[in-house]
């Protein structure tokens, strides 16, 4: 399956909505916490068990993006979006069967494994196409799509909560909610499948496909360069720092001000989580668009350097000022989102457009690593501090020091990024080979 080539006069602004239809759908993953309490109550699960589908989904996102990236590049965005639609929706349908029969392993298999494959393939499906449509503003283009992944939970969270309220929070109600999710997202993602187009290949004066210009590096060669691994460290450190707050946001702000004269209520903590989601989404489009103006290396200097400063402010003064705590956390989460959205454009600058989607897929293994590392650091240290008799903001002091150190490591890795050595470039082909390569793209 290959997408139709855009006819003359086709507006490139129709492609971002196609990408958004997929990313807004798979962004539901960030709203998994809505299903945790009902599942724990209906199936007798622990908090760790109820988190397993989400954790496996994030792991499968990174693995499927890494291993499927080259195939996505070869077969095009329509094939990738179709695979994402089938896997993501089927994951919900399997989960519905698991909830209806009270077989939790089916929910883990469906949402975590099968749905996680849909997450990974869907996440990278529009990246290469968007960069080719918007060579002048790649940061903005990928930011629009990836913004959808960050904002998907803003739609899915209240929608899922309303369904559970209407259908009930027993196993049958959960099953019906999963079923509606699977069918609804299939329809919505189908819009992207039908709408996506690839740009017409540039041609020479005699009508032959023009060869690719500039630096072009294959995915296989890219992972052998120090630039790729520097960016892997940069993304991993940035995501670890952001997800460390995001995963434990509500209890964190409650603990910070528990011993003050103005403790944070449950409602206020939930509002804080919603603000963080909004900052995450806004950072994806805002900061990635800014990178088109000031450059990718400079914007990551902001993410990592200013991010470390924000963590230092929270560690030193966060428990004495709610506005300072909230503002610093919002900035960190905007950098978390911005780091995701800017990564494809950074890869395009270094490795060209030849197989940028496949390279991006391999880079997302940094996300899988960070998705385990960030929550592990914050939760494990908080548990150990609580066992030692500490409470309040002292539960997180050591975690924040570690996060600052990780961001400094990422900052150094970003400074080490240099242009890719010519020995890794795709050799300039003869005219016939050039035509074949361009047709493939």
């Amino acid at each position: 399956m290959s997408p139709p080539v855009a006819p003359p006069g086709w507006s490139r602004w129709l492609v971002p909505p196609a990408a958004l239809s997929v990313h807004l759908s798979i962004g539901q993953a960030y709203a998994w916490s809505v299903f945790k309490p009902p599942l724990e109550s209906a199936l007798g699960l622990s908090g760790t068990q109820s988190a397993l589908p989400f954790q496996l989904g994030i792991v499968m996102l990174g693995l499927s993006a890494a291993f499927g990236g080259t195939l996505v590049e070869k077969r095009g965005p329509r094939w990738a979006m179709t695979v994402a639609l089938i896997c993501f929706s089927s994951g919900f349908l399997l989960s519905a069967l698991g909830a209806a029969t009270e077989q939790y392993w089916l929910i883990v298999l469906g949402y975590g494994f099968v749905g996680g494959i849909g997450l990974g393939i869907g996440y990278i499906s529009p990246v290469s196409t968007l960069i080719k449509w918007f060579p002048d503003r790649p940061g903005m283009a990928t930011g629009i799509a990836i913004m959808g992944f960050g904002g998907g939970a803003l739609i899915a969270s209240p929608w899922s909560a309303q369904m559970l309220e209407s259908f009930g929070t027993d196993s049958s109600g959960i099953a019906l909610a999963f079923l509606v999710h699977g069918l609804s997202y299939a329809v919505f993602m189908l819009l992207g499948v039908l709408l996506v187009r690839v740009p017409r290949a540039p041609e020479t004066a005699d009508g032959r496909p023009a060869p690719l210009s500039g630096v072009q590096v294959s995915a296989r060669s890219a992972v052998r360069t120090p630039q790729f691994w520097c960016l892997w460290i940069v993304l991993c450190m940035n995501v670890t720092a952001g997800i460390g707050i995001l995963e434990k946001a509500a209890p964190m702000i409650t603990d910070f001000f528990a011993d003050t004269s103005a403790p944070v209520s449950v409602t206020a903590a939930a509002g804080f989580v919603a603000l963080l989601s909004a900052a995450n989404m806004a950072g994806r489009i805002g900061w990635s668009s800014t990178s088109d103006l000031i450059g990718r290396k400079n914007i990551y200097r902001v993410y990592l350097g200013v991010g470390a400063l924000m963590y230092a402010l929270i560690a030193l003064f966060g428990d004495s000022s709610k506005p300072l705590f909230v503002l610093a956390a919002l900035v960190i989460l905007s950098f978390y989102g911005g780091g995701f959205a800017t990564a494809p454009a950074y890869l395009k600058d270094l490795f060209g457009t030849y197989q940028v989607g496949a390279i991006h897929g391999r880079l997302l293994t940094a996300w899988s690593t960070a998705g385990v590392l960030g929550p592990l650091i914050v939760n494990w240290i908080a548990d150990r501090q609580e066992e030692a008799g500490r409470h309040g903001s002292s539960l997180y002091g050591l975690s924040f020091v570690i996060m600052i150190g990780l961001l400094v490591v990422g900052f150094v890795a970003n400074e080490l990024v240099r242009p890719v050595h010519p020995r890794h470039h795709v050799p300039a082909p003869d005219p016939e080979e050039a035509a074949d390569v361009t047709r493939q793209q």
Side-chain angles (χ1 to χ4, degrees):
M1 178 186 296
S2 60
V5 176
W10 180 270
S11 174
R12 63 180 182 172
W13 293 102
L14 293 174
V15 180
L20 271 175
S21 72
V22 173
H23 273 247
L24 281 171
S25 298
I26 63 177
Q28 184 279 336
Y30 278 145
W32 173 253
S33 60
V34 174
F35 289 102
K36 280 171 60 67
L39 283 170
E40 291 167 15
S41 176
L43 302 182
L45 305 174
S46 67
T48 301
Q49 289 173 319
S50 66
L52 184 58
F54 171 78
Q55 292 175 317
L56 180 58
I58 295 300
V59 170
M60 291 308 301
L61 185 158
L63 294 178
S64 61
F67 289 106
T70 302
L71 201 57
V72 170
E73 282 287 309
K74 181 179 180 180
R75 300 201 174 182
R78 172 165 288 182
W79 176 87
M81 289 180 178
T82 302
V83 171
L85 183 160
I86 294 171
C87 291
F88 190 65
S89 297
S90 296
F92 270 112
L93 299 182
L94 278 172
S95 297
L97 178 62
T101 59
E102 298 188 2
Q103 298 293 318
Y104 186 59
W105 69 271
L106 272 175
I107 299 177
V108 176
L109 174 67
Y111 191 92
F113 185 80
V114 178
I117 294 173
L119 287 178
I121 300 299
Y123 192 89
I124 64 174
S125 62
V127 168
S128 179
T129 302
L130 283 168
I131 287 176
K132 290 166 186 172
W133 272 112
F134 293 87
D136 52 332
R137 287 182 280 182
M140 179 212 68
T142 55
I144 291 174
I146 295 175
M147 174 186 67
F149 192 89
L154 295 180
I155 300 171
S157 184
W159 182 44
S160 301
Q162 182 60 49
M163 273 195 284
L164 290 171
E165 184 178 338
S166 301
F167 301 150
T169 56
D170 58 357
S171 59
S172 61
I174 297 170
L176 189 54
F178 282 151
L179 177 63
V180 173
H181 274 74
L183 297 177
S184 299
Y185 283 131
V187 173
F188 194 57
M189 294 172 76
L190 183 61
L191 297 176
V193 173
L194 297 176
L195 189 60
V196 72
R197 299 287 189 278
V198 295
R200 299 180 67 84
E203 297 179 344
T204 60
D206 59 0
R208 299 166 66 95
L212 295 171
S213 60
V215 173
Q216 303 295 337
V217 181
S218 69
R220 186 173 182 179
S221 296
V223 297
R224 299 174 180 175
T225 66
Q227 288 82 357
F228 175 86
W229 293 106
C230 282
L231 284 186
W232 193 97
I233 292 171
V234 166
L235 184 63
C236 186
M237 299 301 101
N238 191 61
V239 173
T240 300
I243 209 169
I245 285 183
L246 184 62
E247 189 271 342
K248 203 174 175 66
M252 183 181 292
I253 192 171
T254 302
D255 290 338
F256 252 78
F257 299 97
D259 299 330
T260 67
S261 58
V264 176
S265 66
V266 174
T267 303
F272 174 62
V273 174
L275 281 176
L276 292 182
S277 296
N280 176 15
M281 182 176 65
R284 292 172 187 246
I285 180 62
W287 292 120
S288 61
S289 297
T290 303
S291 75
D292 290 331
L293 302 176
I294 68 174
R296 251 59 77 172
K297 178 175 258 189
N298 286 333
I299 200 67
Y300 272 97
R301 285 169 173 155
V302 173
Y303 297 157
L304 299 160
V306 178
L309 176 61
M310 293 297 104
Y311 258 114
L313 288 176
I314 293 177
L316 294 173
F317 310 110
D319 59 348
S320 61
S321 172
K322 284 182 185 176
L324 175 63
F325 180 95
V326 172
L327 179 62
L330 290 176
V331 172
I332 291 171
L333 262 293
S334 75
F335 292 161
Y336 167 80
F340 277 124
T342 312
Y346 208 164
L347 292 172
K348 178 257 182 187
D349 293 347
L350 288 171
F351 303 110
T353 60
Y354 176 47
Q355 289 188 333
V356 66
I359 300 170
H360 184 223
R362 287 158 171 77
L363 187 72
L364 289 180
T365 55
W367 185 2
S368 296
T369 303
V372 175
L373 188 61
L376 180 64
I377 291 172
V378 174
N379 288 294
W380 187 84
I381 291 178
D383 290 344
R384 299 291 82 74
Q385 297 285 35
E386 190 171 10
E387 290 173 0
R390 296 182 176 85
H391 54 84
S393 60
S394 60
L395 296 175
Y396 304 98
L398 179 58
S399 298
F400 290 169
V401 171
I402 293 174
M403 294 300 179
I404 292 170
L406 293 178
L407 287 170
V408 170
V409 170
F411 190 94
V412 172
N414 184 52
E415 293 302 308
L416 295 176
V417 174
R418 298 288 186 272
V420 177
H421 194 279
R423 72 173 178 271
H424 297 292
H425 296 181
V426 174
D430 61 33
E432 289 297 328
E433 292 174 336
D436 289 341
V437 169
T438 306
R439 288 192 195 99
Q440 180 186 354
Q441 299 310 305

